[in-house]
Amino acid sequence: MKKILIRIAVVLVTLVILMYGTYKWMNARSFQAFGELTRKVETEEKVVALTFDDGPTENVEELLPILEKYNAKATFFLIGKDMEEHMEEAKAIVEAGHQVGNHTYNHNPMVFKRYSFYQSEVDRTNELIREAGYERDIDFRPPYGKKLIGLPYYLQKQDMETIMWNLEPDTYYSKPEEKVAYVEDNVTPGSIILTHPMYDDTGQALKAVEGILQSLTQQGYTFVTVDEL
């Protein structure tokens, strides 16, 4: 009986370790099984990449003038189904000279799925990005930052780089001034900043974006696309 209990305990401990390891691997910001991944760039130049996830939505019309005001180029990781509904906004992003990346078609977690699912989510969105007029290489950002084996393997076959981030003000704070302060305290040359201004109808997300632009510009930083970084 004692031996059986020991074996059960060993199995349970092993399962817990495997589950924890899978969770950490799935959410890793700086590692993936295949292909290239970037979450920050080592440089001494005062340059950063401001990135926007999701959309496009009508908020693009307000966001683009803010970026132009600070002579900033940004990277937009767009969702395919939103591009279908807001293709004019997607085209406006491209025409303004910003980088466009792939954030999947449906924004579902890209783990524990069939290989054909990864292929469809990536390829459908790439086609829409090309339809918007974007001609440069297309980078990829996984929804919720989650990935395991199948997705990175497919991205590697398509020669697409995974772009993560090292600063995420929206994760920790809700008030614009708190988000700006967080970025001020943690930014370093080569940082990739993640924000989500697309679905906000209060104006607070856009206020936070402008606050970040203003603050870092005053500190001598230049805003470039991920590829330029």
Side-chain angles (χ1 to χ4, degrees), residues 16-220:
V16 169
I17 292 172
L18 288 173
M19 291 173 64
Y20 179 74
T22 301
Y23 173 80
K24 296 294 287 185
W25 185 5
M26 177 174 66
N27 292 285
R29 297 284 188 263
S30 56
F31 170 80
Q32 66 182 21
F34 300 97
E36 295 186 33
L37 179 149
T38 299
R39 72 184 298 259
K40 184 183 183 298
V41 173
E42 296 302 322
T43 178
E44 295 182 0
E45 294 184 45
K46 297 191 78 171
V47 290
V48 295
L50 185 59
T51 69
F52 306 114
D53 276 14
D54 309 330
T57 66
E58 293 88 350
N59 283 3
V60 168
E61 296 178 5
E62 297 179 75
L63 182 56
L64 291 181
I66 295 174
L67 293 169
E68 184 177 8
K69 177 180 176 181
Y70 292 93
N71 194 30
K73 294 302 180 186
T75 303
F76 292 74
F77 288 95
L78 302 182
I79 298 171
K81 65 179 181 180
D82 285 347
M83 293 183 69
E84 288 182 334
E85 297 176 11
H86 300 279
M87 183 55 72
E88 291 307 310
E89 285 82 357
K91 290 179 178 179
I93 292 169
V94 175
E95 291 170 1
H98 300 289
Q99 182 178 347
V100 176
N102 186 320
H103 202 40
T104 73
Y105 183 83
N106 286 297
H107 200 266
N108 291 323
M110 299 285 279
V111 292
F112 307 120
K113 299 290 198 304
R114 293 178 181 271
Y115 188 76
S116 59
F117 177 85
Y118 304 132
Q119 182 178 20
S120 174
E121 288 285 312
V122 174
D123 290 358
R124 289 176 71 184
T125 306
N126 277 351
E127 291 174 4
L128 289 162
I129 291 173
R130 296 305 187 204
E131 183 181 332
Y134 190 74
E135 298 179 347
R136 287 176 279 171
D137 291 342
I138 301 175
D139 293 330
F140 181 86
R141 175 171 284 167
Y144 315 104
K146 297 183 184 298
K147 62 223 168 338
L148 276 172
I149 297 175
L151 172 63
Y153 179 72
Y154 184 69
L155 295 174
Q156 183 186 48
K157 288 183 63 177
Q158 303 306 307
D159 198 26
M160 294 177 67
E161 183 173 356
T162 300
I163 305 299
M164 302 296 279
W165 59 87
N166 70 306
L167 295 180
E168 45 188 313
D170 295 348
T171 299
Y172 306 111
Y173 301 101
S174 56
K175 297 180 180 179
E177 58 271 21
E178 293 175 332
K179 296 179 182 182
V180 174
Y182 161 82
V183 173
E184 289 175 340
D185 292 341
N186 294 280
V187 69
T188 57
S191 285
I192 297 177
I193 306 168
L194 165 63
T195 63
H196 303 80
M198 289 298 173
Y199 304 127
D200 175 64
D201 58 4
T202 67
Q204 295 300 296
L206 291 171
K207 185 177 179 181
V209 169
E210 181 157 18
I212 292 169
L213 286 163
Q214 182 181 45
S215 174
L216 296 193
T217 298
Q218 290 173 348
Q219 294 182 42

